[in-house]
């Protein structure tokens, strides 16, 4: 009987020890574990996004949105152009096709007697990429066809032709500053 009492006494001590340990345990072990969605999980891509930048002086092909003619333009007039193809850098699209470019007429001359043709020059100012404007650089001179052969025979009657730029005519311009993408 002494062995039975000692065994029961030892069992009670062992059973009491874990209960006593649970009571003094920190709150996090006593409370149920939080779901994984509540615990912040570090995301390497969100913490340090890779900054990609299209360098300045990148070539961009554009076309006019409307007809531009030396008959109707004046110095200071603004015209819209559209990027023809996606501009890619490192496998990603830096400038999407369809982005808008703004140009300004910086010089103009009309057709004249003596077979001289009309001319105008455009300066490309800015490009809008995903809602932000960036500086561009480049100029384009459009000239009409002269009529010098006929002018030799009848100088006072013959004039050249007006300069005309039609939609679909490709022009090459360059970025003037880095463009993030």
């Amino acid at each position: 009987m002494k062995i039975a009492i000692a065994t029961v006494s030892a069992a009670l001590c062992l059973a009491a020890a874990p209960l006593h340990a649970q009571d003094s345990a920190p709150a996090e072990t006593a409370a149920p574990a939080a779901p994984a969605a509540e615990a912040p999980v570090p995301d390497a891509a969100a913490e340090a996004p890779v900054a990609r930048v299209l360098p300045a002086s990148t070539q961009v092909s554009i076309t006019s949105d409307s007809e531009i003619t030396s008959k109707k333009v004046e110095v200071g007039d603004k015209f819209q152009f559209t990027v023809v193809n996606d501009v890619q850098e490192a496998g990603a699209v830096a400038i999407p096709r369809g982005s808008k470019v703004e140009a300004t007429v910086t010089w103009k001359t009309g057709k004249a007697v003596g077979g001289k043709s009309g001319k105008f020059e455009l300066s490309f100012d800015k490009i809008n990429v995903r809602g932000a404007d960036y500086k561009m650089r480049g100029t384009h001179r459009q000239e009409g066809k002269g009529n010098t052969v006929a002018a030799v025979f009848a100088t006072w009657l013959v004039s050249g032709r007006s300069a005309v730029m039609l939609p679909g005519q490709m022009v090459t311009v360059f970025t003037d500053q880095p463009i993030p993408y």
Side-chain angles (χ1 to χ4, degrees), residues 80-156:
Q80 293 292 311
F81 285 72
T82 300
V83 174
V84 177
N85 299 312
D86 289 337
V87 177
Q88 296 188 359
E89 177 76 14
V93 175
I95 301 175
R97 175 184 55 211
S99 296
K100 296 298 181 181
V101 174
E102 184 178 270
T104 304
V105 176
T106 55
W107 176 79
K108 171 223 166 162
T109 182
K111 62 184 183 175
V113 293
K116 294 188 179 183
S117 62
K119 301 171 186 75
F120 62 86
E121 190 168 277
L122 298 167
S123 176
F124 298 92
D125 307 319
K126 64 183 177 179
I127 185 169
N128 186 285
V129 179
R130 297 180 184 92
D133 289 334
Y134 301 94
K135 292 181 184 177
M136 296 293 286
R137 66 179 169 81
T139 58
H140 174 75
R141 180 176 284 191
Q142 188 73 33
E143 297 185 12
K145 292 183 180 177
N147 204 350
T148 55
V149 173
V152 170
F153 298 108
T155 305
W156 67 94

